[in-house]
Amino acid sequence: MRTPYIAGNWKMNLAPSEARAYASSLAEAVKAAKPDCRVMIAPSFVSLPGVIEAVKGSGITVAAQNMADHLAGAYTGEVSPEMLKDIGVETVILGHSERRQYYGETDEIINGKVLLALSLKMEVVLCVGETLEEREGGELETVLERQLRVGLKDVQPDEMKAITIAYEPVWAIGTGRTATPEDADAAHRFIRETVAAMYSEDIANNLIIQYGGSVKPSNVRALMEKENIDGALVGGASLKLDDFLPIITFSK
Ligand code: 13P
C-alpha cells in the first residue's frame, strides 16, 4: 500500500512573515480535516525556522527546496544539508526543473546531492521530467531513464525507501497546461518499470511517485485515481489555503 503524498513547493514566494502565518492556518486546517495523505510544504530557506515552529504537532513535513552539494566550506551563498538538519529539516526536494534550467544543475550534480542527503539520513524528493521539445521529439523515455539512472547512481536498495520521485513535465509547470491523467500515468508507469529494472519489483511497487505541473483542486482527483500516481507536487496552487486544502483533502 502506498500512502498518498501531497506536497506544496512554494518556490520563491511568500516572505517569512507571510509563510509563517500561512503555515499556521494550514496546520490548523490539516488538524481539523485529517487528510488521508502525508502533507509536505517546502518554503524558502529563510522561512524554514518560522514554518517549522508554526506547523509543530500538525504532522506536516517541512522540506527544503534545494541544498548544497557539500557539507561545509567556502561555497558562498549555499546552504549545507547539515545546517538544514540542525534546524529540524529532514526532507529535501532535489533536481527541480527550475534548478536544472536556470542554475545549470546536471544529473551528475543532482546525484551528488542525492547521495549527500542520504548519507545524512534525509528523505529526498527527486524531480524528473521532460521539456516539450523532448516530448515532441519522442525522447520522453530516454530522458526519464537518464534522469533516474544518473540521479540515483550508487543509491543502495535499502536507501530507496527514503526516495520519492516527482514526475514534473517541464511544459506543464506554471503554464496551466496539465498532463492528461493518462499521459501522466503512462510516464509514472515507465518510471516504476525503470526502478524495477534498476532495483526490484518490490522496491518499485513501494515507490511513491508524485505528479507535478499545474495541479489544482479541479484536476487532482482525476490524477490521483490513476494507478501509478501516488501524490502531487504542487506549485502555484499550494500558495493559498483555499486552493491547497481541497487538493490535500481530495479524497474527502
Ligand atoms: P505548478 O503547480 O505551479 O505548475 O508548479 C509545479 C511545480 O513545479 C512544483 O514543483
Side-chain angles (χ1 to χ4, degrees), residues 9 11 93 96-98 127 168 172-176 212-215 233-237:
N9 174 9
K11 307 191 180 183
I93 298 173
H96 192 281
S97 63
E98 288 149 16
C127 302
E168 298 206 308
I173 296 177
T175 57
S214 299
V215 174
L233 184 54
V234 188

Side-chain angles (χ1 to χ4, degrees), residues 6 9 14 19 21-22 27 68 91 104 116 139 207-208 228:
I6 297 195
N9 174 9
L14 303 174
Y22 171 36
T91 305
L116 194 58
E139 292 173 69
L207 180 72
I208 302 285
N228 287 290

